Amino acid sequence: MPSYRTLSDATAALVDRQREVFDAHADRFEAAKVVTTRLGAHWRDGHAEFGFWTPQLVDEVPESAVSLELLTPTEDVDLTADEETVEFDRAFVETRREGEFTWAAVEGIRPGTRDRLGTLYRLSYEVGGEYETITDPFADSLPFGAYGPPELYDMSRLDEERDDRDYFQRLARDGVEPLASEDDGLPRFEPATSMLEIHPGTATESGTLAGLTRQFDAIGEKQAAGESLTPAERNFVGYDAVQLMPLAPITQNEDELGYWLPQTESADSLLATVRRPDMVNWGYDIVISGFGTVNPAILETRRPDELVDFIATMHTLPEPMKVVFDIALGHADNGALPLLNDEWLAGPGMYGQELDYTQPVVRAGLLELQRRKMDFGADGIRVDGAQDFTNWDPETEEEWHDDEYLAEMDRVTQEVAGVEYRPWMIFEDGRPWPRSDWELASTYRTLIDQHPHAYQWGPVTFAHNTPALQTFWATKWWRVREVADMGENWISGVANHDTIRRGTQLEPEPPFSQPQINRYLGVSEAEKLDRAYNNPASTVLFHGFLPGCPMDFTHANMRAPWGFMRDTDAVWNLKVLAEEEHFPAWQIRPKDFDDDEHFQRLKEWGFGSREELSEFLGLLARAVEMTDYEKDEIATLLNTMGTPIGDELTVSELEQLGRDWMRDVGEFANLAHWHGQQDDERTAFDLAVRQFRHDHDWVVGDLGEDDTLDYVYPTDGTVIYYGHRRAPDDSEALLFVANMEGVAETVRPTELTDVTDDGWELALSSPGLDVDGADEPLELADSDVALFTRSLD
């Protein structure tokens, strides 16, 4: 039995510090920014310090009734096991309350490390005969998910042992360029030249950060030895940055068991069954609580070390890569309700719960959570949905954009390996979205204008773009032209987690009155969608010719399936499933469904073919629409119409079917299934295009006054883009021509622009394209492209 002891003097020091900070600041928000740095659990000088923000206890629960509950495993715990029953020594120690905060300093506690589960903790109290607990939103480790007790973790050790310390310490030395530039006395990481977006849960067979680290380790070893990469491995390189989709702890499906299951308990012991978190999710259904740490579902060992290991691997590759975190702090899932006190939340919103950015401690607390997450060692931060950081003005009855809060996010600095720095800032901001005219009205410039060092997701990248549609490149021309003119601070490209989902939601055979699918992209729907988002013409356009930072998505590079996967929502699961009505047509080839490896759960329901699955989803979509999502009525209507699986489906069965769909699609989308299907010529071409950008990095700047980007008028069934650029130092020029969509067309590249015929050399051309020269006739089929260079020295 551990011997815990509350340290009275150290606890009093925590209380005194809080009091002194608030006394010294007239502005409560400024004081809260200081106080929140001490919230959570911290291992310091051989003892632990705990701080909780507990406004819900004031006037409701006496200070003497509140204890810090401590749970230390009696034996070593195998955190890689799927399920284990663990005995914990249990103790309750006293706490001190000062206003809205509760503090304790305790010795005898065991901090968690890479190899050992540490002491779990939470606040406990009894009121009205009911036993209540309060979790820690500032937790550093949540091995059993956001709804299990947090773990005291030795974060200082984690930082001290990281393998990329020299990478950061370079920032503190002179001559850090091109790694970083100076910004207000601190180094700020420079933007990337090109970037790859990765979903850790489906990027490798294990679906973990450890698996992703092993994959890049293997690539790095080959690079160091000068060995050739496989076609699949090529899809992960040629970039100088990766952006990980959100890593924060997420909500859980309330209909499932969960991952922390107490069995028996007494005053001094607790027996619990602990399960390995295995939620299937994009990562955006966050609960805010525990935001500063890592979702254990993507941790093979359930140790936060995995994230540091991954970052260190990326920083120490023979061709180092920056790591960008996707920070989703613009909302909370409804699953946050039992985890946060009411002060955090402003009420229901589009994505679940709105956060109250006007509440000083919330405002400061969210910034502190951002700081802690980024202190794992990220080079950059992508702020998800910056247009969603709004507050309600009761006088005008309108929402207003909290740009000052976004400025506060920009002011947060990081400290890693003893070095303070500023990250590369990226905002996704489509304001005035969701206003009905947002697509026309959005400039994608607001936050760049306010923060000139920052980047934004550009107009061709934002969520609703669908390049599989015929006329996309004609109707989006004005946005592409904007990228050319002012895109040097934009993230560009067409493939990301959102755009592919939007493509999947298109009707494969739309009514004649609606935009049609570009039939020249391929024969099958799957071929068309794959080529739309991994397209030679657009790849060269964004990587080889236009400014900014082009970003690709792993699943687009691999031409692998991707869908909206979230088995964490018991309420809206069926509606989400109905929105995936066209997924089978776009993403599942008949041979893939017939493969015994795929869709095992759905086949147990009786689906015998892709067509039967598609038929069912169509019926479900109609039922959801006709019943306004009344689940009992949906079940009745489906049973009346009859479904391919023939059973009398209950609501609970439909919900289970929805969860099985999500898990089957998540496994189907795992890139490990698609390594062997990569095309050698195509992946070599894609990599060559990315390498071209890095070898000609002057293209990241905007086009100059004498540069050209245009398209052939009239289109006459074909959208031919062409352009000419000169390097700022007049050392070289580029000549670009591509059939972005449509029937084959023959052109002479040099005749499209006012350039000389002489001296042009072919730099890049789409696989299989026969190019004689820049001044010779060139037949371009849909998606064909050629890029020429000319030395001006």
Side-chain angles (χ1 to χ4, degrees), residues 150-433:
E151 174 192 11
L152 170 69
Y153 210 77
D154 188 351
M155 298 299 288
S156 296
R157 175 204 57 82
L158 191 57
D159 182 70
E160 291 166 359
E161 295 178 358
R162 61 185 308 136
D163 291 335
D164 58 350
R165 291 182 66 81
D166 186 63
Y167 176 88
F168 290 97
Q169 289 169 355
R170 284 176 56 198
L171 299 177
R173 301 195 289 263
D174 293 334
V176 296
E177 293 185 0
L179 188 63
S181 58
E182 191 272 338
D183 185 343
D184 194 25
L186 291 175
R188 182 186 290 279
F189 275 106
E190 286 287 284
T193 301
S194 64
M195 185 161 60
L196 177 68
E197 185 183 30
I198 299 177
H199 178 244
T202 54
T204 65
E205 184 175 7
S206 71
T208 64
L209 289 171
L212 199 56
T213 300
R214 288 191 293 270
Q215 180 163 286
F216 276 102
D217 275 336
I219 289 172
E221 290 174 3
K222 286 187 174 181
Q223 289 175 327
E227 298 177 8
S228 298
L229 300 180
T230 67
E233 288 170 334
R234 291 179 193 144
N235 290 320
F236 290 86
V237 299
Y239 305 91
D240 57 349
V242 296
Q243 177 185 300
L244 297 176
M245 289 176 67
L247 306 172
I250 57 176
T251 189
Q252 294 173 197
N253 193 317
E254 62 190 40
D255 291 341
E256 295 190 346
L257 287 174
Y259 309 103
W260 170 259
L261 304 169
Q263 303 298 325
T264 61
E265 53 189 271
S266 66
D268 57 7
S269 70
L270 184 146
L271 191 69
T273 297
V274 295
R275 298 173 57 234
R276 176 178 176 77
D278 62 352
M279 300 85 79
V280 175
N281 198 278
W282 280 19
Y284 291 98
D285 295 312
I286 66 165
V287 290
I288 298 299
S289 186
F291 184 91
T293 189
V294 188
N295 172 13
I298 57 172
L299 296 177
E300 187 170 280
T301 61
R302 286 184 266 184
R303 305 285 79 193
D305 301 68
E306 284 188 37
L307 180 52
V308 171
D309 292 346
F310 171 75
I311 294 171
T313 289
M314 305 309 289
H315 287 166
T316 57
L317 287 171
E319 299 174 10
M321 299 173 74
K322 297 180 175 71
V323 176
V324 175
F325 285 173
D326 193 343
I327 300 296
L329 283 172
H331 63 277
D333 185 88
N334 285 329
L337 290 170
L339 298 172
L340 302 173
N341 68 61
D342 292 344
E343 298 287 325
W344 288 88
L345 307 172
M350 182 180 296
Y351 303 110
Q353 294 294 315
E354 301 288 348
L355 299 170
D356 188 356
Y357 304 102
T358 65
Q359 213 290 347
V361 181
V362 172
R363 194 175 183 86
L366 293 170
L367 295 172
E368 175 63 12
L369 290 171
Q370 170 191 320
R371 183 187 69 81
R372 295 192 193 188
K373 175 57 68 64
M374 294 293 291
D375 271 357
F376 274 95
D379 306 74
I381 172 175
R382 182 252 185 184
V383 179
D384 176 65
Q387 73 277 338
D388 297 328
F389 291 78
T390 59
N391 296 299
W392 177 255
D393 186 340
E395 292 187 4
T396 63
E397 296 187 344
E398 292 181 346
E399 294 278 348
W400 54 275
H401 290 282
D402 198 340
D403 286 342
E404 178 52 35
Y405 179 79
L406 297 176
E408 290 284 353
M409 295 183 79
D410 181 62
R411 285 192 279 268
V412 174
T413 62
Q414 312 310 135
E415 185 171 345
V416 179
V419 177
E420 188 176 10
Y421 68 91
R422 300 182 187 277
W424 173 32
M425 292 297 300
I426 305 169
F427 295 98
E428 181 206 25
D429 189 289
R431 70 183 70 183
W433 190 90

Side-chain angles (χ1 to χ4, degrees), residues 4 43 72-77 108-112 116-120 151-153:
Y4 305 119
W43 181 247
T72 302
T74 59
E75 297 180 354
D76 289 341
V77 179
I109 292 181
R110 188 171 86 183
R116 183 180 67 179
L117 180 68
T119 297
L120 310 180
E151 174 192 11
L152 170 69
Y153 210 77

Side-chain angles (χ1 to χ4, degrees), residues 15 28 137 184 196 291 464 466 495 608 669 671 772:
V15 172
R28 183 170 171 80
D184 194 25
L196 177 68
F291 184 91
H464 299 277
T466 48
L671 295 180
D772 292 327

